[in-house]
Amino acid sequence: GENVEQHPSTLSVQEGDSAVIKCTYSDSASNYFPWYKQELGKRPQLIIDIRSNVGEKKDQRIAVTLNKTAKHFSLHITETQPEDSAVYFCAATYNTNAGKSTFGDGTTLTVKP
Amino acid sequence: DAGVIQSPRHEVTEMGQEVTLRCKPISGHNSLFWYRQTMMRGLELLIYFNNNVPIDDSGMPEDRFSAKMPNASFSTLKIQPSEPRDSAVYFCATGQYNEQFFGPGTRLTVL
């Protein structure tokens, strides 16, 4: 089955700096890679996703890159703000599994004002 | 659309009692997932359904756990009998194609 590794497990940055979270996956058949943000006491919420036919996707201050050959993908947050503080999860999905995603263990991001 | 609806939002029960968690998916979503989240074990997939049919229940921890999806608009996760180590937040997520949308979760405490 699919295995997703996520690094780092914790990340602390100064407000205004950039943050990068990296994930690797094992199954080359995975073709959809979402990122979720979970604030304390809340549900995970999809913030950005990328499909295997695209190398990069950007939405305002967040961007995701995908390297299919190396089987890794990354989340980039620029100009971080205190409200970006949360746990971020990456996931890898093979769409014939009815959308079943394999999640990374999460990264706790702290943005210090 | 109200999003994924879960009930109850909080449940406190005593060891040995039966617990039933409920989920109403977003209309039109054909996949439904039950997750358990704890500090120690993170986010674990327990079981998922596609078109109301259970596809993979390999994440269900033991026979005390069971899940049903009798129709496209309702699913239950039952724990009988409950144990203190079942204390966690249980999320239901639904989706169409690949995206998953999570419900608010049920925080279960077993004393």
Side-chain angles (χ1 to χ4, degrees):
Chain A
E2 177 65 275
N3 182 48
V4 175
E5 294 191 357
Q6 183 172 346
H7 299 281
S9 57
T10 61
L11 179 60
S12 182
V13 300
Q14 206 67 38
E15 182 178 0
D17 288 349
S18 296
V20 179
I21 302 170
K22 298 182 179 181
C23 289
T24 61
Y25 61 100
S26 60
D27 189 347
S28 56
S30 289
N31 54 9
Y32 172 70
F33 307 91
W35 286 88
Y36 292 84
K37 175 183 180 182
Q38 186 177 25
E39 297 176 354
L40 190 62
K42 302 282 184 68
R43 75 190 80 181
Q45 290 196 296
L46 180 69
I47 56 171
I48 195 167
D49 56 16
I50 191 167
R51 299 184 187 275
S52 59
N53 58 348
V54 175
E56 183 174 356
K57 183 176 178 180
K58 189 173 181 180
D59 182 4
Q60 299 183 353
R61 295 186 299 107
I62 60 174
V64 58
T65 59
L66 171 65
N67 183 326
K68 284 190 299 181
T69 303
K71 294 205 283 287
H72 67 70
F73 55 113
S74 301
L75 177 71
H76 304 251
I77 307 174
T78 59
E79 300 171 26
T80 54
Q81 302 168 3
E83 52 265 37
D84 295 329
S85 296
V87 178
Y88 291 81
F89 294 95
C90 65
T93 310
Y94 180 36
N95 63 7
T96 63
N97 282 344
K100 174 187 174 183
S101 292
T102 301
F103 283 81
D105 289 338
T107 296
T108 301
L109 173 65
T110 303
V111 180
K112 295 179 286 187
Chain B
D1 197 322
V4 177
I5 299 173
Q6 289 187 248
S7 64
R9 295 293 305 278
H10 302 273
E11 176 83 18
V12 180
T13 191
E14 291 188 347
M15 182 174 63
Q17 296 298 306
E18 177 180 296
V19 175
T20 299
L21 311 182
R22 297 173 177 80
C23 177
K24 178 178 169 56
I26 294 172
S27 177
H29 283 191
N30 57 0
S31 295
L32 184 142
F33 307 81
W34 282 102
Y35 292 91
R36 178 173 68 178
Q37 188 174 41
T38 61
M39 288 293 292
M40 291 296 294
R41 300 174 70 92
L43 192 63
E44 301 174 274
L45 176 65
L46 301 177
I47 185 172
Y48 73 99
F49 297 83
N50 185 242
N51 293 323
N52 312 337
V53 176
I55 303 300
D56 183 350
D57 65 354
S58 59
M60 296 286 261
E62 46 197 276
D63 292 346
R64 297 185 297 105
F65 286 69
S66 63
K68 294 181 180 179
M69 191 165 186
N71 57 61
S73 58
F74 185 64
S75 177
T76 60
L77 177 68
K78 186 174 294 187
I79 308 172
Q80 167 63 18
S82 57
E83 296 183 3
R85 59 195 169 116
D86 301 330
S87 297
V89 179
Y90 290 81
F91 287 104
C92 173
T94 74
Q96 191 176 29
Y97 310 117
N98 296 137
E99 297 89 348
Q100 291 187 30
F101 296 88
F102 284 75
T106 294
R107 182 173 296 277
L108 174 64
T109 302
V110 183
L111 303 174

